[in-house]
Amino acid sequence: VQLQASGGGLVQTGGSLRLSCAASGRTLNLYDVGWFRQAPGKERRFVAAINWSGGDTSYADSVKGRFTISRDNAKNTAYLQMSSLNPEDTAVYYCAAVVRLPRPLSSNPNEYIYWGQGTQVTVSS
């Protein structure tokens, strides 16, 4: 499966953005999807994940209550709705996928096999 992340941009503190992760090559409902972010000079960190059906989600503590992960398998797309953004959210955001298995959602980027190219999110103060 190939993933294409989009929707990043420049937004002021308190603003919102919606990121999209469009899949091609294979149907997205075969995969769990995660969003990760990487700020300059820092390691890639978990943001949120959603299982293949959308029935289970997981969030990093830093984004709980502000970000919402979702998916539309009919459109072969996953989303990350981000609200109440602050400068600490500035990073390149990546979507990733792993073949669905009967296991808890993973926050470990090393467990995700397929990656999109990343989209830049910049939050100005």
Side-chain angles (χ1 to χ4, degrees):
V1 65
Q2 292 81 46
L3 304 176
Q4 178 83 27
S6 62
L10 174 64
V11 63
Q12 292 184 333
T13 295
S16 299
L17 282 174
R18 188 176 80 158
L19 306 183
S20 298
C21 178
S24 61
R26 299 198 72 181
T27 178
L28 193 60
N29 66 10
L30 294 174
Y31 303 90
D32 297 338
V33 174
W35 284 96
F36 296 81
R37 64 187 182 186
Q38 189 167 18
K42 296 187 177 180
E43 62 185 14
R44 193 167 297 186
R45 294 184 176 179
F46 172 72
V47 176
I50 188 167
N51 78 329
W52 67 275
S53 68
D56 187 24
T57 58
S58 177
Y59 295 92
D61 288 343
S62 59
V63 306
K64 280 181 182 177
R66 301 189 299 122
F67 291 12
T68 302
I69 190 171
S70 62
R71 64 192 298 159
D72 184 341
N73 286 338
K75 295 183 178 180
N76 241 22
T77 303
Y79 304 96
L80 185 68
Q81 177 67 48
M82 307 186 294
S83 303
S84 300
L85 287 162
N86 59 65
E88 289 69 40
D89 296 315
T90 295
V92 177
Y93 283 71
Y94 298 88
C95 62
V98 60
V99 173
R100 73 190 204 199
L101 292 173
R103 63 180 178 185
L105 289 169
S106 175
S107 61
N108 183 351
N110 294 325
E111 295 188 10
Y112 288 78
I113 306 300
Y114 306 98
W115 289 82
Q117 85 290 359
T119 185
Q120 175 71 47
V121 171
T122 303
V123 185
S124 63
S125 58

